[in-house]
Amino acid sequence: MAIPVGATGAAGTQAVDRAAALLVSILESGQPPTFGDLQSSSGLAKSTLSRLLSSLERHGLVHRSDEGAVRPGPVITRFAHSDRSHDSLIELSRPHLQRLSDATGETINLAILVGDEVEQIAQVDCRFLIGNVNWVGQRLPTHCTALGKVFLAGGAPMPHGPLDRRTARTLTTVSRLADDIKVTARRGWALADSELEPGLVAIAAPVRASSGSVIAALSITGPSSRLTPARIREFARLLVAAAHEISTAMGYLPKNGKAGAA
Amino acid sequence: MAIPVGATGAAGTQAVDRAAALLVSILESGQPPTFGDLQSSSGLAKSTLSRLLSSLERHGLVHRSDEGAVRPGPVITRFAHSDRSHDSLIELSRPHLQRLSDATGETINLAILVGDEVEQIAQVDCRFLIGNVNWVGQRLPTHCTALGKVFLAGGAPMPHGPLDRRTARTLTTVSRLADDIKVTARRGWALADSELEPGLVAIAAPVRASSGSVIAALSITGPSSRLTPARIREFARLLVAAAHEISTAMGYLPKNGKAGAA
DNA sequence: ACTTGTGTTCCATATCGTGGAACATTTTCG
DNA sequence: CGAAAATGTTCCACGATATGGAACACAAGT
């Protein structure tokens, strides 16, 4: 009685599996599929498909517009626009942060852009005694942090007016900052060496959504005594790779366009 | 034999209904529920719950962290951070836009903030001959549009440098703009009268996520010949009400905190 | 080491989901 | 305008599939 194709140890869930697969294909398809699209892509009987969709719709997980397009429903929409959507980004990223921490021993941070500031949303602490305390929840300016520069390089509006001078090395003119951002964009990662606090070095790289826009930034932070130029170069490779892995998990496709659909 | 509680004409979908309800409660609960939480809130047998969760997890719709917390899965996370999440916001808003259009006869727009500009993402055209063409996709500055002012009043970073003078009535100094924003914030809606284009009047109101942050702005636009002071006052009431309804649909709770959970 | 708590696997049972066909609606085309 | 095609929903008898209790595996607390 040969188990069907690739039945990975799952049984007793036919209906739910089908409904789940349906929902996934609706969430991942670029264009909202129609009933017909789903019918042919899933291979389900009309009646079955109709029943499953009705159930999903009844629970607000999908919505059928007048023209017959099947879209993510209000429950999904609400979640997508709520703060909680960041939690799941963190959850999805955590293993990568951890791996990066294991590889470098330094403090790893994940941050998002809030208004014109950078807010840390996750952190894995360094394993040295000399390290930073918990930065989660803290907001910092964009012009003097590696995390901030990543967002600026990703298209966030440049800061205005006189740039706050945090240290002697802070970039305090828009033109010098713009130059740095150009370098950052080309290089693929940002550097802030004693620009926020003397002796504090950070590098950061972008995490991208499937559309390519920068949705978060990943950073490695440590004292300049440990983050020497040679180390920085080495860590930057790891950092960019990790950020890239998260981006991929988010549906970003490295070279060409388009995200995976069903 | 007596249909169970509130069985709204649905049958033949027990398993899917249960799984869907499960997913909804995971998406809507403030704190990620544990297996136990779900067990008691759903009343399902352990074995059933385990099977359903496994199925959802297998499809990437939920994710179980090490500590046993059940969270939205990668598929949901990807969607939440993709551009497509705006589509479903539009879909959810469209009936409200339409109703507003029917009531006022003027052009209705929905916009989001992209960087430091406002991008229109949905529109319902006015029923007069004199009206604006399709603005969807167009980006405009924040300082001279009602839509933009809504975001500024909602906490978006103020624009910098010299403000582009679009008309004689454009607010071109940051301080005058700041005053206007204060009024906007207090009043609950924004007004831009001939500030973008002579004779073009627009009012706008905020759409809020469950967290209270402004995620979109809703506007009514028309020529000053039709949008007289009296009409503006009348329309503003309708506008604010409509924006509020969308906010509510997004999980925003008017007075106190907290969004609905299961 | 024993107990308690949590989650997964197993299995016989009958409940629940299935798909074909009939039906309802809307769209297309002659 | 009416016939035909396309699209989606409801119905129903059948049996495949989900169910929940119990046994099991594992971890945490005492």
Side-chain angles (χ1 to χ4, degrees), chain A residues 12-15 35 50:
Chain A
T13 328
Q14 193 194 58
F35 188 99
S50 177

Side-chain angles (χ1 to χ4, degrees), chain B residues 224-249:
Chain B
S224 51
S225 54
R226 288 201 301 266
L227 286 180
T228 58
R231 278 268 178 67
I232 288 177
R233 247 174 290 129
E234 179 198 341
F235 287 179
R237 257 207 326 282
L238 298 173
L239 175 69
V240 168
H244 200 87
E245 279 168 26
I246 300 175
S247 301
T248 304

Side-chain angles (χ1 to χ4, degrees), chain A residues 168-251:
Chain A
R169 304 187 59 172
T170 304
L171 303 178
T172 51
T173 70
V174 173
S175 81
R176 290 192 58 197
L177 178 59
D179 288 344
D180 189 314
I181 296 305
K182 261 181 230 143
V183 173
T184 300
R186 201 170 314 139
R187 183 173 50 190
W189 53 276
L191 170 67
D193 180 356
S194 300
E195 295 169 36
L196 174 64
E197 204 178 288
L200 184 70
V201 179
I203 56 178
V207 172
R208 297 177 187 278
S210 56
S211 62
S213 63
V214 177
I215 53 172
L218 185 66
S219 72
I220 302 178
T221 314
S224 51
S225 56
R226 288 201 302 265
L227 286 181
T228 58
R231 277 267 178 67
I232 288 177
R233 246 173 291 130
E234 180 197 341
F235 287 178
R237 257 207 328 280
L238 297 174
L239 175 69
V240 168
H244 199 87
E245 279 169 26
I246 300 176
S247 301
T248 304
M250 291 296 293

Side-chain angles (χ1 to χ4, degrees), chain A:
Chain A
M1 40 176 60
I3 298 162
V5 284
T8 336
T13 328
Q14 193 194 58
V16 175
D17 280 335
R18 287 172 165 183
L22 222 45
L23 183 53
V24 170
S25 78
I26 292 165
L27 290 177
E28 308 243 292
S29 78
Q31 302 298 331
T34 65
F35 188 99
D37 295 338
L38 291 171
Q39 197 180 346
S40 56
S41 76
S42 69
L44 296 174
K46 276 196 304 182
S47 49
T48 302
L49 181 56
S50 177
R51 244 178 303 117
L52 296 181
L53 280 182
S54 298
S55 177
L56 292 176
E57 185 167 33
R58 196 175 327 125
H59 291 272
L61 290 170
V62 309
H63 172 73
R64 300 210 244 175
S65 58
D66 307 331
E67 312 84 40
V70 181
R71 295 194 147 85
V75 169
I76 306 281
T77 304
R78 265 198 291 277
F79 177 80
H81 291 273
S82 75
D83 297 350
R84 275 162 287 153
S85 71
H86 293 137
D87 293 356
S88 55
L89 171 59
I90 296 173
E91 200 58 24
L92 190 146
S93 310
R94 197 174 300 284
H96 299 276
L97 306 205
Q98 189 58 57
R99 216 172 303 144
L100 204 49
S101 169
D102 293 343
T104 64
E106 300 294 348
T107 300
I108 312 299
N109 271 98
L110 187 71
I112 56 172
L113 189 66
V114 176
D116 54 358
E117 291 180 312
V118 154
E119 176 173 339
Q120 332 266 72
I121 60 173
Q123 173 168 335
V124 176
D125 291 321
C126 71
R127 60 163 172 259
F128 298 99
L129 291 175
I130 297 180
N132 346 71
V133 276
N134 192 15
W135 284 15
V136 171
Q138 206 164 95
R139 294 191 186 179
L140 293 168
T142 51
H143 73 282
C144 56
T145 56
L147 288 167
K149 290 178 183 178
V150 163
F151 287 107
L152 296 178
M158 288 288 278
H160 33 298
L163 304 177
D164 198 15
R165 161 163 263 126
R166 296 301 187 103
T167 74
R169 304 187 59 172
T170 304
L171 303 178
T172 51
T173 70
V174 173
S175 81
R176 290 192 58 197
L177 178 59
D179 288 344
D180 189 314
I181 296 305
K182 261 181 230 143
V183 173
T184 300
R186 201 170 314 139
R187 183 173 50 190
W189 53 276
L191 170 67
D193 180 356
S194 300
E195 295 169 36
L196 174 64
E197 204 178 288
L200 184 70
V201 179
I203 56 178
V207 172
R208 297 177 187 278
S210 56
S211 62
S213 63
V214 177
I215 53 172
L218 185 66
S219 72
I220 302 178
T221 314
S224 51
S225 56
R226 288 201 302 265
L227 286 181
T228 58
R231 277 267 178 67
I232 288 177
R233 246 173 291 130
E234 180 197 341
F235 287 178
R237 257 207 328 280
L238 297 174
L239 175 69
V240 168
H244 199 87
E245 279 169 26
I246 300 176
S247 301
T248 304
M250 291 296 293
Y252 174 63
L253 286 200
K255 309 259 170 177
N256 45 60
K258 285 184 182 175

Side-chain angles (χ1 to χ4, degrees), chain B residues 23 43 58 66 72 93 109 113 127 157 165 168 186 212 222 230 250 252:
Chain B
L23 183 54
R58 197 175 327 125
D66 307 331
S93 309
N109 272 99
L113 189 67
R127 60 163 172 259
R165 160 164 264 124
R186 201 170 313 139
M250 291 297 292
Y252 174 64

